[in-house]
Amino acid sequence: MADTDETLDALNEVHGQEKPDDVGLGEWIWGALQGDFSTERSAGQIGFDLVVSLIPIVDTLCDLRDLCANLREYRKDPSNKVTLFFIATTVVGFTPEVGTVVKGALRLTWVYLKPLIKHADDIANASKLVAAANRACDAALPKITEFLQYNRVAKWATDGKLPDIYQFVSKTIREAADKLSPAVLGGLLNDKFNDLKSLLERIRPIVPSTVRERIDDLLKNIEAKRQAMSGAIQSFTQPVRTVLKIFAKRLEDKAVKVEVYRTNRGWIAPISEAGAARLINAKPPKWAKKRPRTMKFPPLKPQDLRTQALVNAHPDHPRIQDWMIATFSKAKGGMRADAIKGPAKLYRVVDPSNEGAGIFWMTEAEFKAIKDRDGWRSRFAVKPDWNQNGWVVEYEIKAGESLPVWRGPAASQKLEGTDYYLEGGGEQVLFYPSSRDEMVKAMPRIDRVTGKPLMDGAGNEDRRVDFTDVTGATAPTKLRARITDRRIKGPIETGWGATDYTPQEAQRILLTAPTAS
C-alpha cells in the first residue's frame, strides 16, 4: 500500500472519522475491512462509499471490505444461489479496466437490484432477471446521475478529456460484459483473495492478540473456501453478463437522449402506434378523419398489370418496391414517371428519428402551400408513429441537371387501432439521394424474455433506442446522427412545433376520455 500518512488518510475516509489515539494502525485497517457493512445498505450509505472510493487507496480498501463481507455471507450458506450471484456481481468490480468511477455506478445498480432478487428462480428465469434489472436501473439511474455529476467525478472526466461520461461508463461496462467468462470471473476473485491475504499477513504482527486470532480465523477460511467459492460463482457468468448489458444499454440510451434533446429542442420522443391510437380515439385531432368504406385516395395495387407495365417501361428510374408503390394513390392519374429538371428544390419534413436522405419528398410548391403540421400530416398521410415532424430538409437540383423520380398523389392511410384515417392526396416525389444518413449505432436492445439481443426484421441486431412516449408506452426508434449527402441542406425548424401532443396534453386527454362501459 502507499506510505503511512496516505494509508491513514484513506482509512479515516473509510471509517468516516479520525483514528483514535489508542487504536493502532493495524487494528484500524482491520476495522475498515470488517466495518460498517450490511447486506441491506441504503443508497445513502452506498453514496458515501462512492464519494470516498474515488481516492485510489480507499477504492482498494473498499474492494477488500466487500470481499470480506462476501466471505461472511458465503460461510453462512455456501449453497445459496442468490448469495453466489451477488458475490459474482461484486467480483465484476474487481476488473482492473473497470476503474473506480464505473465501479461506483455498478455498486449503485447492485444495491437496487438486491431487494428484487429473492429466490434462485429470479436469476435462472431470464424474463424475471431482465425485469428486475430494468426495475433496478429505473431506481438507480437518478442516483448514478448525481454521482457522475459530483465535482470529483466531473474533474476526473475533464482531466481524462471524456466528452460524455455516460457513454464512457456504458462502453466500459459493455466491454467488461463481453470479456466476462467463467475463468475470468474465478480468476478475478482469486486475485483479490491474494490481495486480501497479503494485507492480513502484513497487519497480523501489529494488532492485539484478540484481533490476531480473528485474522488467523479469516486466513484459515480464505484457504479453505476460496477454491469452492471461485468455482461456485462461475456458473453465474451468463446472468451477470445479461444484467451488465442491460445496464450498459440503459446508460447509453440515456446519453443518446440527452444529446438528441440538446440538438433538437422541442422534440420529446417518438410516439408508438398504440399510444397514437389511444389519443386519437380519446380526442380525434383535425388531421384524423372518420374512415369511410372507401378512402378518398385509395392505394395503388402493386400487382396491377398497368402498374407493373409502368415500372417495367422505366428501368432508368429509381427501383421501387411493392410497399413503396402502395403509398401512391390510383386517384388523380396515379403514379407516374418523371424527370425534374434543375434548377429546382425538393423538401422533406423530418424529426430526429427520420433520415434526411429518405425517399419521400415534395416539390417546393407543395411545401410552400402547407400552412401547418395538421395540413402536412393530412395531405401527405404521414402517421404520427412514422414522423413527429418539426424540421425540414432541402434537396437541390442544379441548373442543367435532371433527376428521374416517381411522383403522384399520396395514398390515404388507415390509422391502426382506430376508425380514423389520414386523407392524403398531396403530390409526393420518390427518389434515392446519393448518400444515406449516418445513423446512431446504439447497443443492441435486450429481449425481455430471453435476455439475449433482439433481432430486427432483417435478422440484424435491433439497435434502436428505447423511448417512453407521451402515453407511457415504449417507443423504440432509430436516431439520425448526421446527414451526409452534400446536396441536402438542413434540417431547419418548420415553425410548426415538434410534436402532436405534449406530455401534459396527452395526460389531460387520456384522463378526461370516457371509459368503455
Side-chain angles (χ1 to χ4, degrees):
M1 298 184 70
D3 63 45
T4 302
D5 288 342
E6 288 181 344
T7 302
L8 182 58
D9 289 343
L11 289 165
N12 291 341
E13 292 277 11
V14 173
H15 280 285
Q17 66 182 63
E18 295 290 323
K19 182 182 78 65
D21 292 338
D22 59 346
V23 175
L25 181 60
E27 190 175 358
W28 199 231
I29 292 174
W30 173 255
L33 295 176
Q34 300 299 303
D36 182 23
F37 190 98
S38 165
T39 57
E40 304 297 331
R41 290 172 73 72
S42 69
Q45 289 171 313
I46 293 292
F48 170 77
D49 282 354
L50 300 187
V51 171
V52 300
S53 67
L54 291 171
I55 303 169
I57 308 171
V58 178
D59 181 44
T60 301
L61 287 168
C62 286
D63 279 351
L64 297 180
R65 185 191 61 185
D66 291 350
L67 183 56
C68 288
N70 284 327
L71 186 57
R72 289 200 298 272
E73 289 300 306
Y74 179 75
R75 289 175 66 182
K76 292 177 185 176
D77 184 359
S79 64
N80 188 308
K81 289 181 167 54
V82 174
T83 296
L84 290 168
F85 171 75
F86 280 105
I87 291 173
T89 63
T90 300
V91 171
V92 171
F94 300 159
T95 307
E97 294 81 6
V98 165
T100 303
V101 169
V102 177
K103 189 189 306 180
L106 286 172
R107 276 179 172 148
L108 273 170
T109 307
W110 307 145
V111 81
Y112 285 103
L113 182 62
K114 187 164 286 190
L116 305 176
I117 303 294
K118 298 293 188 183
H119 309 286
D121 186 57
D122 296 335
I123 303 164
N125 185 310
S127 62
K128 289 184 177 180
L129 181 63
V130 171
N134 275 299
R135 286 177 60 192
C137 286
D138 289 338
L141 280 171
K143 294 294 183 183
I144 290 169
T145 296
E146 289 180 22
F147 170 59
L148 296 180
Q149 291 175 347
Y150 179 67
N151 56 5
R152 270 187 188 166
V153 179
K155 183 179 185 304
W156 171 83
T158 301
D159 292 344
K161 298 181 180 179
L162 299 176
D164 190 324
I165 193 167
Y166 288 99
Q167 288 280 21
F168 171 80
V169 173
S170 172
K171 182 173 180 287
T172 303
I173 293 171
R174 177 66 194 221
E175 289 173 350
D178 288 340
K179 293 176 182 177
L180 197 64
S181 68
V184 167
L185 203 57
L188 288 168
L189 181 57
N190 271 317
D191 289 345
K192 197 58 68 171
F193 268 134
N194 288 338
D195 292 343
L196 177 59
K197 183 180 176 183
S198 175
L199 177 61
L200 292 173
E201 288 173 343
R202 289 175 64 185
I203 66 171
R204 185 181 181 279
I206 59 171
V207 297
S209 59
T210 53
V211 173
R212 191 176 305 127
E213 290 174 4
R214 296 172 66 190
I215 289 176
D216 289 342
D217 180 63
L218 181 54
L219 285 168
K220 185 184 301 182
N221 270 285
I222 290 173
E223 289 309 309
K225 305 294 185 183
R226 65 187 298 171
Q227 187 172 354
M229 192 170 166
S230 175
I233 67 167
Q234 292 184 38
S235 62
F236 295 92
T237 302
Q238 185 54 50
V240 171
R241 188 187 292 127
T242 296
V243 174
L244 289 173
K245 288 184 177 181
I246 290 169
F247 182 36
K249 172 63 175 170
R250 293 291 301 274
L251 269 176
E252 185 193 58
D253 279 3
K254 181 177 179 64
V256 170
K257 290 174 190 177
V258 168
E259 179 61 16
V260 79
Y261 293 145
R262 185 184 69 80
T263 55
N264 299 273
R265 295 187 183 281
W267 190 70
I268 300 169
I271 190 167
S272 64
E273 182 178 85
R278 286 183 65 195
L279 291 166
I280 292 166
N281 286 327
K283 185 178 180 181
K286 293 179 183 178
W287 41 262
K289 297 187 177 180
K290 200 74 174 177
R291 189 166 69 240
R293 179 171 297 178
T294 302
M295 294 187 293
K296 188 170 183 179
F297 293 96
L300 274 174
K301 295 181 179 179
Q303 302 308 318
D304 181 85
L305 294 178
R306 284 179 296 180
T307 302
Q308 290 185 9
L310 174 66
V311 172
N312 291 335
H314 295 87
D316 57 336
H317 274 59
R319 69 186 188 283
I320 188 164
Q321 300 175 35
D322 287 355
W323 72 268
M324 299 174 190
I325 292 172
T327 66
F328 288 92
S329 175
K330 62 184 180 182
K332 296 184 179 180
M335 181 180 76
R336 69 185 191 279
D338 195 12
I340 300 178
K341 293 178 169 40
K345 293 177 180 178
L346 298 174
Y347 293 84
R348 171 175 166 79
V349 175
V350 297
D351 74 9
S353 70
N354 304 128
E355 282 197 64
I359 61 174
F360 294 105
W361 297 75
M362 67 186 85
T363 63
E364 186 171 14
E366 285 277 10
F367 177 65
K368 288 184 174 179
I370 299 171
K371 303 300 182 186
D372 53 28
R373 178 177 62 247
D374 293 339
W376 162 76
R377 195 172 291 291
S378 175
R379 187 162 169 74
F380 287 89
V382 182
K383 296 182 183 183
D385 48 296
W386 290 350
N387 185 344
Q388 277 289 284
N389 99 102
W391 291 263
V392 63
V393 292
E394 175 188 283
Y395 184 91
E396 182 180 11
I397 306 166
K398 296 179 180 179
E401 294 180 338
S402 179
L403 180 68
V405 301
W406 299 101
R407 63 194 300 176
S412 301
Q413 294 287 342
K414 294 180 182 179
L415 292 164
E416 300 297 337
T418 78
D419 294 327
Y420 296 88
Y421 84 117
L422 290 161
E423 186 175 275
E427 186 183 57
Q428 68 181 21
V429 175
L430 186 153
F431 75 99
Y432 295 92
S434 60
S435 175
R436 297 288 298 272
D437 289 3
E438 180 184 315
M439 305 299 284
V440 172
K441 192 176 182 181
M443 291 179 187
R445 299 175 68 222
I446 304 298
D447 190 311
R448 290 179 177 267
V449 176
T450 67
K452 296 179 180 178
L454 276 171
M455 298 295 166
D456 62 20
N460 301 313
E461 289 182 329
D462 182 353
R463 293 182 176 273
R464 291 177 294 173
V465 174
D466 279 324
F467 284 83
T468 300
D469 72 12
V470 291
T471 70
T474 300
T477 189
K478 293 181 179 179
L479 290 170
R480 182 181 64 249
R482 185 171 65 92
I483 296 173
T484 61
D485 193 315
R486 293 182 179 181
R487 290 176 178 265
I488 298 176
K489 296 178 182 178
I492 58 174
E493 294 183 13
T494 59
W496 306 339
T499 183
D500 290 288
Y501 307 93
T502 66
Q504 294 77 16
E505 289 169 339
Q507 290 307 306
R508 187 164 56 249
I509 290 170
L510 295 176
L511 286 171
T512 57
T515 56
S517 57

